[in-house]
Amino acid sequence: MQRNEIVIALSNSNIILKELSQFHSIEEIYEKHKPKVDTKKIDFDLDYIYKNNITVIDYFDKNYPQNLKNIDYPPLVLFVKGHFDSSKLFFSIVGTRYPSGYGEKCALIFSKELTLSNFSIVSGLARGIDSIAHKSCLENKGYSVGVLGCGIDIVYPKENQPLFDMMTQMGAIISEFAIQTPPNAYNFPRRNRIITGLSEGLLVVEADIKSGSLISAKYAQEQSKPVFAIPGEIFSKRSYGTNQLIKDGAFLAQEPSDIVFYFYREIKTTLNLNDENQQKPTLTKQEAYVLDAIEGEISLDEIACKVNLSIDELTCVIFDLELKGAIKRLDFDRVRKL
């Protein structure tokens, strides 16, 4: 059998191994597990892959992400639609499928600011927080990866077809599941270990106490990845899970810079910068205008009056200035120039 045929056969057989590093080739795995292998769908799957420009990456491929090699039960194969770049600095954002307005706004702002800080956003392409995080990343010219809990040939949920199309043009969609695998509920915990496995850390935006996002948080902790959570209203079920994560030791994420500063070294390494060669950040006209209005220690309300912006508009600009190192936030409401 050819290599692609072997990979497809192993995928169809749903073989999952805790430590793939003990093997030296995909052929060796095939020979050891040959009695369990189902070869019935090979021709159909290969035909679909070739006709739909699907890339197949197995554990021994040079493009297989190193981060995934470090987790328990790494995926044996990844089906990829779009361009998968394993060299990116990945960070995952997850949350409820039915967010509040507050949750939507948090997902949008955090995804935007992390993208502008050179993170590539990973999520599960579900409705709600996942979709908002992907869209915000792409709209800010970032790179995003969606991990499916079904076959790469299935758009789930259906209403995300436009987002799927955007992802394949500006990022990638990946799945470990064989072609035609339906989005069964028990697939999603498996998907979640890949989301966190790819990423340097995880942010949970809004989540009920029984949310799948808490499964992602558990995987991240087991993989020794930092977990961040956005605090929410104590009377909202959507915030039970995130508030509990914080009580249990997750990092409280009040603003994107909480995450950016945690990963300062990783971001600098990815950008190939050092302190001696670091250039002054380029500011937009609006950012320069706001920066000129900052004198001494000043509140956001005072700045808003000076520049004639709403607090919501100003907050976004302040986030950008802080990430570019032009200002320092003294507390939630006061800033000064650097």
Side-chain angles (χ1 to χ4, degrees):
M1 293 176 72
Q2 298 297 313
R3 185 184 182 91
N4 267 4
E5 292 177 316
I6 290 173
V7 173
I8 293 296
L10 289 169
S11 172
N12 285 334
S13 305
N14 199 28
I15 291 172
I16 307 173
L17 304 172
K18 184 173 183 179
E19 294 181 8
L20 291 174
S21 58
Q22 62 185 298
F23 297 95
H24 299 94
S25 69
I26 200 75
E27 290 82 6
E28 184 182 340
I29 295 174
Y30 175 75
E31 288 301 321
K32 181 167 183 178
H33 295 275
K34 203 170 182 178
K36 306 175 187 176
V37 172
D38 180 4
T39 59
K40 294 176 184 175
K41 274 177 76 250
I42 290 178
D43 290 341
F44 174 87
D45 288 0
L46 285 174
D47 185 59
Y48 180 88
I49 286 165
Y50 294 141
K51 286 181 178 178
N52 291 276
N53 297 315
I54 306 297
T55 303
V56 182
I57 301 174
D58 66 66
Y59 181 86
F60 302 96
D61 192 296
K62 64 180 181 180
N63 294 317
Y64 190 94
Q66 184 61 44
N67 274 4
L68 285 185
K69 289 192 173 184
N70 298 328
I71 69 172
D72 287 340
Y73 300 100
L76 178 58
V77 57
L78 295 172
F79 296 97
V80 179
K81 201 166 187 177
H83 171 64
F84 181 62
D85 184 351
S86 61
S87 69
K88 297 287 188 182
L89 183 65
F90 292 116
F91 190 86
S92 48
I93 298 177
V94 299
T96 178
R97 287 172 167 80
Y98 305 101
S100 66
Y102 165 76
E104 291 177 359
K105 185 175 180 180
C106 289
L108 191 152
I109 291 174
F110 273 75
S111 181
K112 173 188 174 182
E113 299 302 336
L114 292 174
T115 296
L116 295 177
S117 297
N118 208 47
F119 280 108
S120 296
I121 302 302
V122 183
S123 197
L125 274 166
R127 61 172 62 93
I129 296 298
D130 291 21
S131 295
I132 295 167
H134 287 305
K135 288 176 186 174
S136 181
C137 175
L138 298 179
E139 287 168 358
N140 287 282
K141 298 181 171 56
Y143 178 86
S144 190
V145 172
V147 186
L148 299 181
C150 56
I152 197 78
D153 56 318
I154 296 173
V155 176
Y156 180 80
K158 291 285 188 184
E159 67 262 26
N160 266 354
Q161 182 69 65
L163 177 57
F164 272 56
D165 295 338
M166 285 177 65
M167 294 286 289
T168 57
Q169 293 299 314
M170 302 171 66
I173 296 172
I174 67 175
S175 174
E176 71 170 325
F177 295 101
I179 305 297
Q180 294 186 315
T181 301
N184 296 318
Y186 50 78
N187 291 344
F188 292 95
R190 277 180 60 179
R191 174 205 62 176
N192 293 353
R193 89 191 191 288
I194 297 178
I195 292 174
T196 56
L198 275 176
S199 305
E200 300 299 320
L202 169 74
L203 171 66
V204 184
V205 176
E206 271 189 329
D208 195 350
I209 202 69
K210 294 182 179 180
S211 169
S213 299
L214 269 62
I215 297 175
S216 295
K218 183 181 178 184
Y219 277 128
Q221 290 164 345
E222 289 173 352
Q223 295 162 2
S224 300
K225 308 288 179 69
V227 175
F228 297 82
I230 295 177
E233 182 187 346
I234 62 172
F235 301 110
S236 170
K237 283 189 66 178
R238 295 185 181 96
S239 297
Y240 285 1
T242 45
N243 290 346
Q244 186 63 48
L245 284 174
I246 294 167
K247 286 171 67 177
D248 291 342
F251 293 102
L252 187 153
Q254 185 169 299
E255 50 195 86
S257 60
D258 294 329
I259 299 170
V260 173
F261 291 156
Y262 185 96
F263 291 103
Y264 180 66
R265 289 183 181 179
E266 289 83 353
I267 292 169
K268 281 189 69 177
T269 300
T270 305
L271 291 171
N272 196 27
L273 297 176
N274 58 55
D275 291 334
E276 295 178 2
N277 297 327
Q278 193 166 358
Q279 299 177 349
K280 292 184 71 174
T282 301
L283 303 182
T284 66
K285 288 183 179 179
Q286 188 178 52
E287 289 166 355
Y289 181 49
V290 170
L291 188 62
D292 285 341
I294 298 175
E295 298 176 357
E297 296 182 5
I298 187 170
S299 72
L300 298 191
D301 285 334
E302 290 173 302
I303 301 170
C305 290
K306 283 188 172 187
V307 298
N308 196 29
L309 289 175
S310 70
I311 288 295
D312 284 347
E313 291 171 323
L314 178 62
T315 299
C316 292
V317 179
I318 290 296
F319 276 142
D320 292 338
L321 287 172
E322 188 175 10
L323 290 171
K324 291 179 178 181
I327 64 170
K328 178 176 177 60
R329 190 184 289 267
L330 304 175
D331 54 38
F332 185 74
D333 186 53
R334 302 183 70 78
V335 299
R336 67 172 172 82
K337 286 182 184 177
L338 288 176

